[in-house]
């Protein structure tokens, strides 16, 4: 691919750079900026909730709905396809929010403008997890939590930032 190949007329890289000491604490200094803090808190909360839900799908569905291991494995197709579709929809939504913010800012845009795309996701995610828990607690038909896993907890909301 032409965009990934290295042109032959490029200068040789400087190999005499000094070694810098590894500092694992320095990335934490970025948290003093509010936009970075919001992004880190949002993504870590989303990751924790999705991890928790995926860890509990097997025990919940096998105890509540008497599902076999193969049925529980098939249940994971719903969130998996939700992740896939959600990454495309979320990317388009984030691009739309950025374009709209650029128009309001006289054509000038910066990456932090995408943060505003998560507010819809925060609402959808909250409602979706409440519904998911309620569906399991009320022992409704197995289709309800599976549909919720596809549309709500894993689709648009997961990949907006």
């Amino acid at each position: 691919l032409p965009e990934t190949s290295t042109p032959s007329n490029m200068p040789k890289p400087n190999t005499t750079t000094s070694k810098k000491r590894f500092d694992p604490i320095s990335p934490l200094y970025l948290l003093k900026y509010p936009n970075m803090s919001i992004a880190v808190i949002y993504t870590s909360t989303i990751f924790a909730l999705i991890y928790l839900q995926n860890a509990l799908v097997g025990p919940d569905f096998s105890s509540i709905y008497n599902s076999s291991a193969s049925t529980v494995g098939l249940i994971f197709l719903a969130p998996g396809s939700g992740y896939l579709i959600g990454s495309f929809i979320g990317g388009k939504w984030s691009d739309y929010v950025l374009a709209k913010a650029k128009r309001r800012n006289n054509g000038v845009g910066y990456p932090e403008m995408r943060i505003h795309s998560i507010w819809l996701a925060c609402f959808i995610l909250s409602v979706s997890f409440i519904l998911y828990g309620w569906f399991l607690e009320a022992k409704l038909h197995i289709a309800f939590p599976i549909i919720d896993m596809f549309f709500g907890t894993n689709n648009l909301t997961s990949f907006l930032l």
Side-chain angles (χ1 to χ4, degrees), residues 40-144:
V40 167
I41 290 170
Y42 174 75
T43 53
S44 60
T45 304
I46 296 293
F47 177 76
L49 288 173
I50 289 173
Y51 181 83
L52 180 67
Q53 182 185 29
N54 288 338
L56 294 177
V57 163
D60 287 343
F61 279 83
S62 62
S63 66
I64 295 172
Y65 300 107
N66 297 323
S67 301
S68 65
S70 59
T71 304
V72 171
L74 290 173
I75 289 170
F76 278 105
L77 289 175
S81 55
Y83 293 141
L84 181 68
I85 294 169
S87 63
F88 291 115
I89 294 172
K92 296 290 184 188
W93 173 254
S94 183
D95 291 343
Y96 170 75
V97 169
L98 178 64
K100 191 171 147 184
K102 275 183 173 179
R103 281 194 303 270
R104 281 192 307 236
N105 200 22
N106 297 325
V108 178
Y110 47 90
E112 289 83 4
M113 288 179 167
R114 291 184 189 269
I115 289 178
H116 298 291
S117 66
I118 66 172
W119 300 120
L120 173 66
C122 291
F123 174 74
I124 293 172
L125 189 69
S126 301
V127 169
S128 178
F129 271 106
I130 290 169
L131 285 176
Y132 178 76
W134 181 73
F135 291 154
L136 291 179
E137 184 69 26
K139 298 180 181 171
L140 294 178
H141 191 269
I142 194 170
F144 287 106

Side-chain angles (χ1 to χ4, degrees), residues 3 17 48 53-54 69 73-74 79 84 133 147 150-151:
E3 61 269 6
T17 59
Q53 182 185 29
N54 288 338
L74 290 173
L84 181 68
I147 291 170
F150 174 79
F151 283 109

